[in-house]
Amino acid sequence: MPTMSICHAPEPGGPDALRFGRAERPCPAAHEVLIRVGAVGVNRLDAMQRAGQYPLPTGTNPVLGVECGGTVVEAGAEVDGIAPGTRVAALLPGGGYAEYAVADHRHVVAVPTDWGDVRAASVIETFCTAHETLFELSRLLPGERVLIHAGGSAVGSTAILMAKSIGAEIVATVGREDKARRLREWGVPHVVNYRDVDFADALREIHPDGIDVVEDFIGPAYLARHVSLLRWRGRLAFVGLLSSGFCQIDVAAVLLKMLQLRGFTLRPHSAVEKAAVVERFRRRWLPELIAGRITPAVHAVLPFDKAAEAHRMLEHADNFGKIVLRI
């Protein structure tokens, strides 16, 4: 059997727990395509998996990586419309930190031939997550007020671009002044450095009567404040857990203001659900990307053997936008 280079974490640990090795090249099932990976997006999920903080769904490939850009080299018997030679961006159940990966053909999007693999690898997981949380769960509308935390992260910065494109009024939080400057250059009217001021106090000065939507990467540490900030029929989407533990909230406020608090993570979706997520991305945002009306931020492109450096960069929050490994 042909083999390939992979990067995995055989034992939980920090970035230095990543190891390179060889594995058999996968064979696509009837509904799958085999992709020669040119680049892979680095996500916080990868770092959590490496650290042993993310239990894998049964049967998941333990090799890291949930999105890639590359070229289809083989298609299963039941695949229609994606031929060998097609340049693609793909959502993966795992296995992206490798020279080859298999993907359900419904989770693959053909991209323009002039797109490089880095660009293809930098969009699909991020855009799917931002779209689902802002528009499918939170139903953000033009003119509404949205608070987006982690404004310099890949998903946070993408959510800002999406919200800006529909004319929502954005308040973003960041932890560094250089990221605040970047967002102001993007035209974000209200950027709060949470290391300098309490974000809730700052937001009450900006919008004394509250906000409509929260894109929440923080979790328990901020939840009580979010409940107090949301106004009538406000919506909150949990996208991450940068804080841990439990919290107390004013349930009466949730009831009386008819708030909606909903959680989202992409990886555990069924194959059918994930196919629908990808199709919404394809229809709504791929045209915007192709036309150049939205250009996501890519912070760094590193060679495959610098995977540990990429993870350190991510965990130190040094990035503004996406980190990509070139295979």
Side-chain angles (χ1 to χ4, degrees), residues 46 59 148 208 281:
D46 303 336
I148 301 175
F281 160 72

Side-chain angles (χ1 to χ4, degrees), residues 46 55 57 76 80 141 154 162 185 287 289 323:
D46 303 336
D80 184 30
L141 297 173
M162 289 178 169
E185 290 169 1
L289 288 162
I323 301 169

Side-chain angles (χ1 to χ4, degrees), residues 19 59 94 103 128 137 152 163 202 216 222 230 250 264 281 284 295 313 321:
R19 296 287 182 269
C128 284
L137 295 187
D216 180 18
Y222 283 6
L230 284 165
D250 182 356
F264 179 86
F281 160 72
R284 177 64 180 87
T295 303
M313 188 182 296

Side-chain angles (χ1 to χ4, degrees), residues 92-117:
L92 308 169
Y97 285 35
E99 292 178 297
Y100 292 85
V102 291
D104 187 313
H105 74 280
R106 297 168 296 176
H107 307 161
V108 172
V109 174
V111 299
T113 55
D114 62 347
W115 277 28
D117 292 331

Side-chain angles (χ1 to χ4, degrees), residues 29-47:
H31 64 287
E32 293 178 329
V33 294
L34 176 66
I35 301 167
R36 184 172 63 245
V37 178
V40 60
V42 178
N43 293 283
R44 187 162 294 277
L45 173 60
D46 303 336

